[in-house]
């Protein structure tokens, strides 16, 4: 009888560990003004531990006088390359505290990638084309996800207790940093998070077609 107790206790401990681990949470990110889903919102779970840098450089390209992608999410310590696929030169820079850098006027590809070793939001611009803008979100959390077109993100918190998350979107009133929120342990799924956002920008560039034709000469 004594011989059976240890396997039983071990099985009970395993079942307790499995039950105590919380299941994935579905977060529904919405615009507080109109209730619309918010795509491209970044949700990170600080409690998930540190993130490992990418093994190879990520890419933030310039194409058709835009940055591609518009939003790049990378772990802290990762490198990013900035290839120029346009027929015109670009001058990429950032004044953000998380990473200040300046790649002066260049074509094709800079000599070396840029290392982003501090967590935070990095806003990119081009000193030649004022309409060019992009963001690099540098995360120090192992679990960081981005919402899709439906504004939905899923995270896996380590416990069933209230969960602290960081949420960022470029249209936040202060988009230089994420907002920190606490998600209750109980409640209906999905959890709805309403963000106070600025209105969407209306893109207008009357010289875009003329510039493209000039670039293709």
């Amino acid at each position: 009888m004594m011989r059976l107790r240890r396997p039983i206790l071990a099985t009970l401990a395993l079942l307790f560990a499995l039950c105590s681990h919380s299941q994935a949470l579905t977060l529904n990110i919405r615009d507080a003004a109109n209730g619309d889903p918010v795509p491209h919102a970044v949700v990170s779970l600080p409690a998930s531990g540190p993130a490992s840098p990418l093994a190879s450089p990520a890419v933030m390209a310039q194409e058709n006088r835009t940055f591609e992608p518009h939003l790049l999410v990378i772990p802290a310590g990762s490198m990013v390359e900035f290839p120029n696929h346009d027929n015109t030169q670009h001058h990429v820079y950032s004044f953000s505290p998380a990473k200040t850098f300046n790649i002066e006027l260049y074509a094709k590809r800079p000599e070396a990638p840029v290392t982003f070793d501090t967590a935070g939001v990095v806003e990119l611009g081009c000193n030649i084309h004022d309409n060019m803008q992009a963001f690099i979100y540098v995360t120090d959390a192992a679990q960081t996800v981005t919402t899709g077109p439906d504004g939905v993100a899923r995270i896996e918190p380590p416990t069933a207790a209230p969960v602290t998350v960081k949420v960022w979107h470029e249209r936040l009133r202060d988009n230089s940093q994420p907002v920190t929120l606490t998600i209750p342990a109980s409640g209906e799924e999905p959890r709805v998070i309403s963000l106070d956002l600025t209105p969407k920008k209306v893109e207008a560039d009357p010289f875009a077609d003329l510039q493209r034709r000039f670039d293709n000469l």
Side-chain angles (χ1 to χ4, degrees):
M1 188 67 177
M2 292 294 295
R3 294 180 180 178
L4 295 178
R5 287 181 179 176
R6 288 184 179 178
I8 291 175
L9 289 175
T11 302
L12 290 175
L14 177 60
L15 289 174
F16 177 79
L18 291 175
C19 292
S20 63
H21 189 281
S22 62
Q23 297 181 352
L25 287 177
T26 299
L27 306 179
N28 194 338
I29 314 298
R30 295 280 169 168
D31 187 335
N34 50 32
D36 289 344
V38 180
H40 309 301
V42 182
V43 180
S44 62
L45 186 64
S48 61
S52 299
L54 298 176
S56 57
V59 174
M60 174 64 77
Q62 298 97 64
E63 189 169 357
N64 295 324
R65 295 194 298 127
T66 61
F67 287 108
E68 180 60 40
H70 180 70
L71 170 64
L72 177 64
V73 180
I74 58 171
S78 300
M79 295 184 294
V80 178
E81 293 183 337
F82 292 85
N84 180 3
H85 301 315
D86 285 333
N87 293 328
T88 185
Q89 293 182 321
H90 290 295
H91 183 151
V92 180
Y93 69 91
S94 169
F95 296 133
S96 301
K99 186 65 179 183
T100 299
F101 69 97
N102 185 42
I103 307 177
E104 296 185 358
L105 205 63
Y106 72 99
K108 302 304 181 183
R109 186 181 296 269
E111 293 183 0
V114 178
T115 301
F116 293 79
D117 45 18
T118 301
V121 179
V122 181
E123 183 175 357
L124 305 177
C126 175
N127 201 31
I128 307 302
H129 306 98
D130 292 338
N131 64 305
M132 290 179 61
Q133 182 193 45
F135 295 90
I136 297 179
Y137 188 95
V138 186
T139 179
D140 55 4
Q143 191 174 165
T144 302
V145 294
T146 306
T147 58
D150 57 358
V152 171
R154 292 176 177 83
I155 58 173
E156 295 185 4
T159 67
V163 180
T164 298
V165 297
K166 291 184 178 181
V167 183
W168 177 87
H169 192 268
E170 65 175 286
R171 291 197 290 119
L172 284 172
R173 301 289 174 179
D174 177 10
N175 67 359
S176 64
Q177 57 187 347
V179 296
T180 301
L181 303 170
T182 299
I183 308 301
S186 61
E188 296 182 359
E189 288 275 15
R191 309 293 202 280
V192 177
I193 297 177
S194 297
L195 297 180
D196 183 17
L197 304 177
T198 61
K200 294 180 180 179
K201 293 182 179 179
V202 177
E203 298 290 337
D205 187 358
F207 299 103
D209 292 336
L210 179 62
Q211 180 68 45
R212 291 192 190 96
R213 282 180 287 179
F214 175 80
D215 292 341
N216 292 328
L217 289 179

